[in-house]
Amino acid sequence: MKTLRDTWLIFGRYFGILLGNPVWVIIGVTQPVLYLVLFAPLLKSIATVQGFPPGGAYNVFVPGLLIQLGLFGAAGVGFSLIAELRAGVIERLRVTPVSRISLMLGRALRDMLVLLIQSAILLLLAIPFGLQATVGGAAVMLALVALVGLATACIAYAVALWLRSEDSYAPLIFTASLPLLLLSGVLLPLTLAPDWLRTIADVNPLSYAVNAARDLFNGHMASPEVAKGTLIMAVLAVGSLILAARSFNRAIA
Amino acid sequence: MIEVRGVTRRFGGFVALDDISFDVRPGEIVALLGPNGAGKTTASRIIAGILAPTTGDAVVDGVSVREDPTAVRARCGFVTDTPALYDRMPLRDYLAFFGRLYDVRSPAARAAELAEQLGLTGVAGQRLGAFSRGMRQKVAIARALIHDPPVLLLDEPASALDPEMAQTLRAFIVSLRARERSILLTTHDLDEAQRIADRVVVVYRGRVLRTGATSEIRATGRPTYVVTFTGDAGRARGALGAAGVDAEPANGANGCSALRFATDDPANTNAGVLRALLDAGVGVVTLSAEERSLEDAYLEILREAKA
């Protein structure tokens, strides 16, 4: 109960910061929108190629774009943590009796909320382009993005606590994110990839999230791919949260 | 009440604290003194419940940091030289937020009460980013007191403040002593420690070198005396040297020169000094015991430790 209360307080604090600068939510969704407008049309011409998944260009690309938003949107959250560590703000919170996991979870929930808002904006903008989705499918999709975001944010916080330097954090986190993105089939479906690339992609948890997302948008909510992708991301999110909380405790001990 | 019992803290192979013990009683201000790297901040962080001791224990208001660090944190107020505030938050919201973190029953009312005590009521609605350095430090103190803790840990609370603001803060700290708080003051400002500390703990390389009442610590070492005189200072110093007294120049006043010397046997040495100076034709004006500052005593304790 105390952990929930503390998490709510910390979430409220960081949500307040978000309300003070809502423009960053919009700026954060700009890049995916540019992909939607300037890249997705290129896929229309190859949507009929053998091996391209069913559902059309936008129903294939937008789910991947949402997963990409979850990954890259949350990958940068460590910057603010490093800045707060340096300014002594985290130390001020640590001397309070607030639960340690709440200090991490409150922030991560704020990050998830931002991603959900951005994802909802992206979904609405994609509909005029030709995206077709059920309300239920979109809702589960948003939950999936939230799990991707929670897992990524927690890993990003753990890395930030380990490095404590923006100069080291930026190249490491974004270099590590790129192969995850490329091997998830976000930009082009992995059904078009050679066998060796698909074999490597099999160990990338994000590829399961992308497959689940595409099934959700194609109306297959009960498919094994949806269950598998959601379960993998849920396990990853819980594991990342435990890792981040332990890093936080270690960093302060 | 703070009780530090045989605390050792290692960081890898480095021993930051080596079996230190001391206590701070209710209604007492204890100054924790030592050079940089002596282990003062490590000790404060262990007492605050944010750093675990490798061995030993610290008990705060009856609660062990080993057994329940969360309960210890609820009993401590912690102030450092860096206020680290949320600049975009108004003062009253900021204090109320921390009040909620400490589960204070009426955080808004408590925030208003502290703002009044620290003379910040007029700016309670203003954002903290607009506050001066001194006001920010006042906010940090209010934050540390929001849950009315029995123990206060102050780590260089008045550094970088102008003298007037530092004096205001000192007066406030002293007023807290009257309300039976146990206050541990970590500082390099020996004048500040001398003014407000009841007792002193001197640490060096992770060990406690000396503990005692501030007046006892100031009396540490050989008593020193100052003789003021008119006439040639070189001749006076030579006369003392011939009498076996090693003297050094001191600050004279009213046109007089002065020499300082230390002795374990003032009854005989001082008589010999007077005889030597009078025989040399030096006009002695005064010969008096010198009141040692805490700084003098502290430096001597460190010199002995390094020797």
Side-chain angles (χ1 to χ4, degrees):
Chain A
M1 195 63 195
K2 176 175 165 34
T3 302
L4 284 177
R5 180 186 169 278
D6 289 349
T7 303
W8 178 248
L9 284 172
I10 299 298
F11 168 77
R13 168 63 202 137
Y14 286 102
F15 185 60
I17 294 174
L18 176 69
L19 289 179
N21 284 295
V23 68
W24 293 109
V25 177
I26 306 302
I27 289 173
V29 84
T30 304
Q31 191 177 328
V33 168
L34 288 174
Y35 269 102
L36 180 71
V37 176
L38 304 178
F39 182 79
L42 301 177
L43 295 179
K44 276 187 174 175
S45 58
I46 62 165
T48 53
V49 170
Q50 191 179 7
F52 197 88
Y58 285 95
N59 268 39
V60 168
F61 185 63
V62 174
L65 202 53
L66 288 165
I67 299 297
Q68 181 188 353
L69 178 63
L71 177 69
F72 279 95
V77 298
F79 284 108
S80 65
L81 181 62
I82 292 170
E84 289 191 1
L85 277 169
R86 189 173 296 128
V89 171
I90 298 297
E91 181 88 344
R92 299 291 85 75
L93 290 172
R94 288 171 44 205
V95 299
T96 69
V98 167
S99 148
R100 274 31 196 156
I101 200 161
S102 298
L103 289 175
M104 184 58 62
L105 193 55
R107 301 175 69 102
L109 287 177
R110 187 277 313 263
D111 301 331
M112 285 170 66
L113 179 68
V114 172
L115 284 174
L116 286 175
I117 295 168
Q118 292 173 331
S119 299
I121 293 170
L122 190 60
L123 269 175
L124 291 173
L125 290 175
I127 288 171
F129 284 87
L131 175 73
Q132 292 178 323
T134 63
V135 174
V140 178
M141 179 68 227
L142 290 178
L144 194 59
V145 173
L147 286 175
V148 172
L150 178 61
T152 309
C154 288
I155 292 170
Y157 285 134
V159 171
L161 286 164
W162 172 46
L163 296 173
R164 292 174 176 248
S165 154
E166 292 93 340
D167 292 341
S168 311
Y169 174 80
L172 181 67
I173 203 82
F174 289 116
T175 303
S177 299
L178 188 60
L180 284 174
L181 177 76
L182 294 174
L183 289 170
S184 65
V186 163
L187 299 176
L188 286 171
L190 284 168
T191 47
L192 301 174
D195 287 344
W196 65 269
L197 203 56
R198 271 189 274 184
T199 305
I200 299 173
D202 281 346
V203 296
N204 179 8
L206 270 190
S207 65
Y208 296 95
V210 172
N211 289 340
R214 285 183 178 140
D215 268 16
L216 282 169
F217 275 70
N218 286 330
H220 307 309
M221 283 186 62
S223 82
E225 290 298 323
V226 172
K228 198 196 296 179
T230 308
L231 182 66
I232 287 173
M233 291 319 301
V235 169
L236 191 63
V238 171
S240 304
L241 183 61
I242 292 169
L243 169 76
R246 283 189 176 170
S247 301
F248 206 82
N249 268 333
R250 233 190 340 266
I252 66 171
Chain B
M1 177 83 174
I2 303 170
E3 298 164 83
V4 178
R5 300 169 178 165
V7 165
T8 295
R9 172 69 203 200
R10 295 188 191 90
F11 294 100
F14 175 70
V15 182
L17 291 176
D18 186 4
D19 192 25
I20 69 161
S21 298
F22 63 88
D23 57 54
V24 185
R25 296 183 280 269
E28 186 177 48
I29 299 175
V30 171
L32 187 60
L33 308 179
N36 290 332
K40 305 185 297 296
T41 298
T42 302
S44 291
R45 288 158 61 88
I46 286 173
I47 296 164
I50 57 174
L51 185 67
T54 307
T55 59
D57 199 0
V59 179
V60 175
D61 196 32
V63 180
S64 156
V65 294
R66 282 193 169 283
E67 289 172 10
D68 196 347
T70 303
V72 166
R73 288 195 288 272
R75 287 163 167 76
C76 289
F78 197 68
V79 180
T80 69
D81 59 336
T82 311
L85 313 176
Y86 292 130
D87 286 349
R88 289 175 171 273
M89 247 178 162
L91 170 63
R92 70 163 68 91
D93 293 353
Y94 182 74
L95 292 180
F97 168 64
F98 273 86
R100 284 190 287 276
L101 293 182
Y102 281 102
D103 212 4
V104 171
R105 193 178 296 272
S106 304
R110 177 65 179 154
E113 183 187 345
L114 282 166
E116 188 181 347
Q117 281 179 22
L118 286 156
L120 296 169
T121 303
V123 292
Q126 288 185 20
R127 286 186 175 190
L128 298 169
F131 283 26
S132 69
R133 179 75 176 80
M135 287 164 72
R136 292 171 74 80
Q137 195 63 351
K138 277 186 173 182
V139 175
I141 289 181
R143 178 183 60 204
L145 293 171
I146 193 78
H147 54 304
D148 200 16
V151 166
L152 257 185
L153 305 168
L154 308 174
D155 193 345
E156 302 284 358
S159 71
L161 296 185
D162 63 58
E164 190 182 1
M165 188 60 80
Q167 189 183 41
T168 305
L169 276 185
R170 269 198 296 272
F172 189 73
I173 292 166
V174 169
S175 75
L176 294 172
R177 171 173 58 190
R179 283 187 262 166
E180 292 297 297
R181 303 295 198 291
S182 303
I183 301 170
L184 182 66
L185 172 68
T186 303
T187 184
H188 285 300
D189 186 342
L190 297 167
D191 181 54
E192 177 181 60
Q194 181 175 317
R195 284 167 189 261
I196 67 174
D198 303 296
R199 288 193 300 124
V200 169
V201 177
V202 181
V203 290
Y204 177 65
R205 291 186 175 173
R207 293 187 170 196
V208 173
L209 286 182
R210 198 74 56 88
T211 62
T214 309
S215 56
E216 288 171 15
I217 296 287
R218 288 174 65 189
T220 301
R222 302 168 77 195
T224 57
Y225 296 85
V226 174
V227 59
T228 62
F229 52 90
T230 56
D232 182 42
R235 193 196 313 169
R237 198 169 180 184
L240 292 187
V245 176
D246 186 20
E248 62 181 27
N251 291 330
N254 301 325
C256 295
S257 302
L259 289 171
R260 176 189 292 112
F261 59 93
T263 176
D264 292 322
D265 182 15
N268 288 319
T269 305
N270 291 2
V273 164
L274 285 175
R275 262 196 304 273
L277 291 175
L278 292 172
D279 290 349
V282 173
V284 176
V285 178
T286 63
L287 173 59
S288 56
E290 187 177 50
E291 189 179 358
R292 282 156 57 92
S293 67
L294 182 60
E295 183 176 355
D296 292 333
Y298 166 78
L299 291 174
E300 187 166 327
I301 290 168
L302 285 189
R303 265 197 302 274
E304 286 172 8
K306 290 174 183 172

